[in-house]
Amino acid sequence: MKSDSIVVLGSLHYDIYIQSKSIPKIGETVLADNWFPKLGGKGANQAVALRKEFKNVKFISAIGDDIFSKFLLQKLNEHKVSADYISKIKGDSGVSVAISNEAGDYSAVVVSGVNTKIPEKFLCDSKLWEGVSSLMIQNEISEEINALAAQEAKKRSIKVFLNAAPAKNIENLIKFVDILLVNEIEAQQISNDYSNSFESIAKKLSKKISKVIITLGSKGVIACEKNRTPIHIKGHHVDVKSAHGAGDYFAAKFLLEFLKNNTFENAISVANKKTADFISA
Amino acid sequence: MNNLSILGIFVADLAFFGKIPKVGETILGKEFVVGPGGKGSNQSVAAGKAGASVEFITKVGKDDYGKMALKTYKETNVGTKNVFESDEHSTGVAAILLDKETGQNAISVVPGAAGALTIKDIDNAKDTIINSSIFLTQLEAPMDVVSHALKIAKENNVTTILNPAPAAKLEREIFPLVDYFTPNETEASFYIDGEINTVDDAKKYAQSILDLGVKNVLITLGEKGAYFFNQDDSHFEPALDLTNQVVDTSGAGDAFNGAFATALCEGRPIVEAIKFANCFAGISTTRIGTANSMPTRAEIDKMM
């Protein structure tokens, strides 16, 4: 690896994870078995997954001044993710509830709280970017701060990796992005192409972004590089225990592998296999 | 000896406002609010604020939500000597997904520590129960625990109130242990072969409910009021007229039950007790929240 650190900018949530036999439908009250608090937010999940295998991760996010902030700092510390770039802001920490069923599917509601107010101060400081190889961002915080970070990274020829989840308009961001990672629903919304032809969606997106990866769950991954033919990497058939956090796990594994060997297709294959193990473990 | 003891559950109500997600979907919500909840807990807070000398019997975890429960009881004069702490279980939570535009909700309740209440816990709280003049409970705690507590109360001549919420099938032996059975119209309908929406419906099915074996019945009928009956008497007491003032009816049943039990504790005659409960519950619907919407005794005294 040429450079030695990765900047992750993104959300940090107190996740309330509920294990239930079924997920309540509208108008329904379901008695569930168990719940536990988890460190969550796509930014935090990706930072933690990177940190497991990689030392220099700078995670930029925010916590509120409430009862959840203590738990969040404690969990980041347990995972050895530094709190140097976590700003404490007056207001509510980000929270989410995920209700999972026995099949491993889940529904979630995220309330961003102070994640929408992550300050710009670190991003404009050149010290942050010293020795940084990549910037990893997602769509759970405001597009403005993402765009500012991406612009700063681009100026310094740092690779910008966007996991555009959840799907939203990324018009102002797209020109700074080197690698785009999306799932099926996000791919359709961003390309405004609701066909199920993901090869052609990948091809279309790769006209604007040099590397595009679309994950298709059990069906594997479609990827496309600018001016190349899309490739399909098949899924691994496993018994899913929980798909919660699978996208974040894939994103981190891909980036690490890609930085290590710089081969696009191989990095996807490795991430694909590791994610299959992760969701069935 | 004018004490009230209440058995039930505490859960932290975690309300997420936004669209309600489908399976596999993640929604970006608008707002998140945490507050104390659980029917037994809400009823205890209502009683504490209504002026009762009340002890709440429940179980919480050793975590932030457990601390929230204890803080709530301290602020509302609810006795906590029978609020047990579990080493193994987290405090219960209810994730309430609310769509403000459509008024729809989807709820997931994890009873947690309160779901792990045991018969032994009730035996440990026995002194509190038998030294009460009124014992009140609901159907959110484990059924064997509820039934054991009702038995202890009854054997020791403590007047019992069962608020059968949420409605659930009861063993036949439970009904004779109940002095006051306080369902709302939906819960009342669950126990008979019919549907109760109006006072006339309630009158029509009164005998069927008494035939279950309970002594007195008080059916709450929302904004209409409450209908009381037993083998000898009946009385309908209309609710406060709050046209255009109602903002949130969640917790109104808990307000009613907590206040009704308080009034009985004070030795008020039945009609007066219902008036007191109507007034208390009515005011709570003009404010947002469940436990946090309960009025104070001073407000009630001013109105009555």
Side-chain angles (χ1 to χ4, degrees):
Chain A
M1 239 175 272
K2 285 194 292 288
S3 303
D4 62 0
S5 52
I6 300 172
V7 170
V8 180
L9 165 66
S11 56
L12 173 56
H13 298 147
Y14 178 92
D15 263 2
I16 294 148
Y17 188 79
I18 295 178
Q19 287 170 325
S20 184
K21 291 206 169 52
S22 68
I23 297 169
K25 291 190 272 296
I26 286 174
E28 194 183 17
T29 297
V30 171
L31 217 53
D33 304 322
N34 202 3
W35 81 278
F36 47 89
K38 267 173 88 167
L39 177 71
K42 291 183 196 297
N45 288 344
Q46 295 181 11
V48 166
L50 288 172
R51 183 62 189 83
K52 282 209 167 76
E53 291 178 38
F54 188 77
K55 195 157 169 284
N56 296 319
V57 176
K58 297 175 176 174
F59 177 42
I60 304 174
S61 192
I63 52 172
D65 56 354
D66 51 14
I67 58 168
F68 302 122
S69 59
K70 208 175 89 191
F71 173 89
L72 293 173
L73 289 176
Q74 184 194 326
K75 284 289 160 187
L76 286 175
N77 185 41
E78 275 172 31
H79 291 290
K80 301 191 169 64
V81 174
S82 156
D84 290 354
Y85 302 97
I86 308 294
S87 305
K88 187 159 188 156
I89 295 175
K90 207 169 152 53
D92 300 325
S93 297
V95 288
S96 85
V97 60
I99 305 168
S100 73
N101 65 14
E102 282 176 329
D105 294 319
Y106 70 97
S107 293
V109 181
V110 171
V111 179
S112 298
V114 296
N115 283 293
T116 59
K117 296 178 193 159
I118 298 173
E120 295 174 0
K121 61 181 180 195
F122 297 120
L123 302 172
C124 304
D125 183 352
S126 285
K127 270 222 289 266
L128 173 77
W129 302 105
E130 275 168 23
V132 172
S133 62
S134 327
L135 166 69
M136 198 171 197
I137 50 181
Q138 317 78 25
N139 268 352
E140 281 188 330
I141 62 172
S142 78
E143 196 192 351
E144 289 73 37
I145 187 123
N146 268 341
L148 174 69
Q151 203 174 346
E152 291 294 319
K154 204 73 192 164
K155 264 197 240 168
R156 298 168 171 88
S157 304
I158 292 165
K159 273 203 179 62
V160 177
F161 178 79
L162 170 64
N163 173 208
K168 64 177 177 189
N169 189 350
I170 47 166
E171 215 42 59
N172 299 322
L173 191 53
I174 217 160
K175 55 181 177 287
F176 305 117
V177 176
D178 297 297
I179 307 171
L180 174 72
L181 169 67
V182 284
N183 68 15
E184 292 153 282
I185 298 167
E186 292 145 8
Q188 288 174 331
Q189 291 192 15
I190 290 165
S191 63
N192 203 20
D193 176 346
Y194 292 86
S195 73
N196 282 319
S197 167
F198 290 100
E199 267 100 351
S200 87
I201 292 175
K203 182 89 192 157
K204 197 190 280 182
L205 289 170
S206 74
K207 292 197 172 104
K208 289 184 192 159
I209 301 162
S210 65
K211 289 180 171 59
V212 174
I213 307 166
I214 306 176
T215 56
L216 306 173
S218 62
K219 296 189 289 293
V221 182
I222 301 270
C224 191
E225 291 180 270
K226 200 170 221 153
N227 304 324
R228 303 274 287 272
T229 313
I231 50 169
H232 182 190
I233 292 147
K234 289 214 158 33
H236 298 272
H237 288 282
V238 292
D239 245 350
V240 179
K241 295 258 167 54
S242 168
H244 194 233
D248 298 327
Y249 190 83
F250 182 97
K253 293 295 153 185
F254 164 80
L255 185 61
L256 285 173
E257 197 60 32
F258 185 64
L259 292 177
K260 222 189 285 172
N261 298 316
N262 212 10
T263 59
F264 185 58
E265 187 174 341
N266 186 48
I268 295 170
S269 290
V270 171
N272 192 34
K273 175 73 180 81
K274 286 188 172 170
T275 305
D277 294 341
F278 172 75
I279 61 173
S280 57
Chain B
M1 198 174 72
N2 293 314
N3 300 324
L4 168 62
S5 55
I6 301 182
L7 163 68
I9 78 166
F10 168 83
V11 292
D13 276 348
L14 313 170
F16 288 80
F17 296 93
K19 271 178 30 190
I20 295 172
K22 293 191 264 299
V23 174
E25 195 179 20
T26 295
I27 294 282
L28 218 48
K30 293 197 179 76
E31 199 190 334
F32 169 70
V33 181
V34 192
K39 290 180 198 296
S41 176
N42 291 342
Q43 293 177 11
S44 300
V45 168
K49 291 191 79 176
S53 164
V54 55
E55 286 289 338
F56 185 37
I57 304 162
T58 195
K59 196 180 255 184
V60 297
K62 288 181 173 160
D63 48 31
D64 285 337
Y65 296 137
K67 282 182 204 145
M68 176 169 98
L70 292 169
K71 181 165 171 274
T72 303
Y73 303 144
K74 196 170 175 199
E75 288 166 357
T76 54
N77 293 317
V78 174
T80 55
K81 65 175 186 240
N82 299 292
V83 175
F84 305 114
E85 282 190 318
S86 167
D87 288 321
E88 312 116 87
H89 298 89
S90 308
T91 303
V93 297
I96 304 169
L97 314 181
L98 284 166
D99 186 334
K100 270 187 187 163
E101 277 163 35
T102 63
Q104 289 166 323
N105 64 45
I107 301 174
S108 179
V109 179
V110 190
L117 270 166
T118 60
I119 286 179
K120 196 161 168 283
D121 292 326
I122 300 304
D123 288 338
N124 288 332
K126 192 172 173 181
D127 279 351
T128 300
I129 297 175
I130 64 180
N131 286 316
S132 315
S133 47
I134 307 277
F135 171 75
L136 163 65
T137 191
Q138 323 74 29
L139 299 177
E140 283 187 327
M143 199 61 90
D144 56 335
V145 169
V146 170
S147 127
H148 185 68
L150 282 169
K151 261 179 223 147
I152 289 179
K154 199 66 201 159
E155 281 163 9
N156 291 280
N157 298 318
V158 177
T159 302
T160 59
I161 307 174
L162 175 63
N163 171 222
K169 204 168 174 327
L170 293 172
E171 298 290 332
R172 289 206 69 83
E173 63 189 45
I174 304 262
F175 296 108
L177 303 173
V178 178
D179 293 311
Y180 291 89
F181 191 60
T182 61
N184 66 16
E185 58 275 59
T186 320
E187 288 142 12
S189 304
F190 177 87
Y191 293 98
I192 51 152
D193 187 17
E195 204 179 307
I196 296 176
N197 292 307
T198 63
V199 187
D200 285 339
D201 297 338
K203 284 180 182 163
K204 185 172 147 198
Y205 291 108
Q207 193 56 47
S208 321
I209 297 177
L210 289 170
D211 286 346
L212 293 168
V214 294
K215 204 182 280 172
N216 301 284
V217 181
L218 180 55
I219 303 179
T220 54
L221 297 156
E223 75 285 359
K224 296 187 210 61
Y227 182 61
F228 169 81
F229 55 92
N230 57 28
Q231 290 297 359
D232 310 313
D233 276 317
S234 69
H235 175 80
F236 172 70
E237 184 62 37
L240 295 185
D241 181 8
L242 295 166
T243 319
N244 300 328
Q245 292 179 57
V246 175
V247 292
D248 180 5
T249 61
S250 59
D254 296 332
F256 185 94
N257 276 280
F260 177 68
T262 302
L264 285 189
C265 256
E266 292 175 4
R268 293 185 187 228
I270 183 76
V271 173
E272 221 185 291
I274 299 170
K275 278 186 184 155
F276 182 85
N278 268 350
C279 185
F280 192 89
I283 295 176
S284 84
T285 65
T286 64
R287 298 168 188 168
I288 297 202
T290 50
N292 296 329
S293 73
M294 305 296 177
T296 60
R297 177 57 177 260
E299 290 174 84
I300 305 302
D301 286 345
K302 210 158 71 183
M303 282 196 69
M304 285 191 68

